[in-house]
Amino acid sequence: MIERGNAIPSVGIKLVTASGTTETTSLEAFGTGVVVLFSVPGAFTPTCHVNHLPGFLANAGKLKAAGVDKIVCASVNDQHVMKAWAEASEALDSIDFLADGNAELAEALGLARDFAPYGMGTRYARAALILRDGVVSDIFVEDGPGVNASGAPAILMALEAANA
């Protein structure tokens, strides 16, 4: 699994933003500035849709005030599903969405998990990373169900501690 001090791997991704969908690499998309990248098992899934994404959306202004240049939500869904989720959540003005349909970045980060028993195949672990110029400064991976360590309040606390 990726650790503090590791550079983000360069893997092909589709990035869904307010401007549209672009094919790029994770390094190009997250290699400069301060980026909060949070990963969810699936778009529209109950915890992801009701707890994880809304927390980042509600705290987007605070995260930006704490020095975050970009907030990105990653999932192993295709770009069409990610765009529909972003639009349904009214999040496109605040959060970019990473479509990692083949779980290539999830695998490269060591955050891929087997959700086959739930009929979902390979998915991301619920996690959040703080990247500074493409290098992981902090990583938070949930060790159980729910949103605690990887939620927006925990990320804000980490950013405030780093900026103190």
Side-chain angles (χ1 to χ4, degrees):
M1 180 183 320
I2 196 161
E3 298 176 354
R4 293 178 77 184
N6 292 155
I8 188 96
S10 187
V11 175
I13 60 168
K14 293 188 185 331
L15 194 62
V16 179
T17 68
S19 302
T21 301
T22 57
E23 290 193 33
T24 185
T25 68
S26 48
L27 185 58
E28 288 174 7
F30 317 128
T32 57
V34 178
V35 178
V36 170
L37 172 63
F38 69 101
S39 60
V40 299
F44 292 109
T45 57
T47 303
C48 306
H49 188 65
V50 175
N51 299 109
H52 211 173
L53 175 61
F56 279 95
L57 186 56
N59 287 287
K62 290 179 184 176
L63 289 162
K64 300 277 177 147
V68 173
D69 298 303
K70 188 184 298 188
I71 305 166
V72 182
C73 176
S75 185
V76 179
N77 291 105
D78 65 57
Q79 69 271 22
H80 307 291
V81 170
M82 293 302 281
K83 182 179 181 206
W85 189 33
E87 290 172 346
S89 302
E90 298 180 354
L92 270 179
D93 290 332
S94 304
I95 299 172
D96 293 344
F97 289 75
L98 185 161
D100 187 17
N102 293 324
E104 292 172 2
L105 183 59
E107 294 282 354
L109 293 171
L111 293 174
R113 300 294 183 268
D114 182 10
F115 278 66
Y118 311 105
M120 297 170 64
T122 301
R123 297 293 173 130
Y124 273 94
R126 187 175 308 285
L129 293 83
I130 300 173
L131 305 169
R132 296 178 189 276
D133 294 325
V135 175
V136 177
S137 67
D138 292 284
I139 182 166
F140 309 88
V141 181
E142 298 292 349
D143 58 6
V147 178
N148 297 300
S150 66
I155 303 309
L156 275 168
M157 286 177 41
L159 289 165
E160 289 168 1
N163 294 336

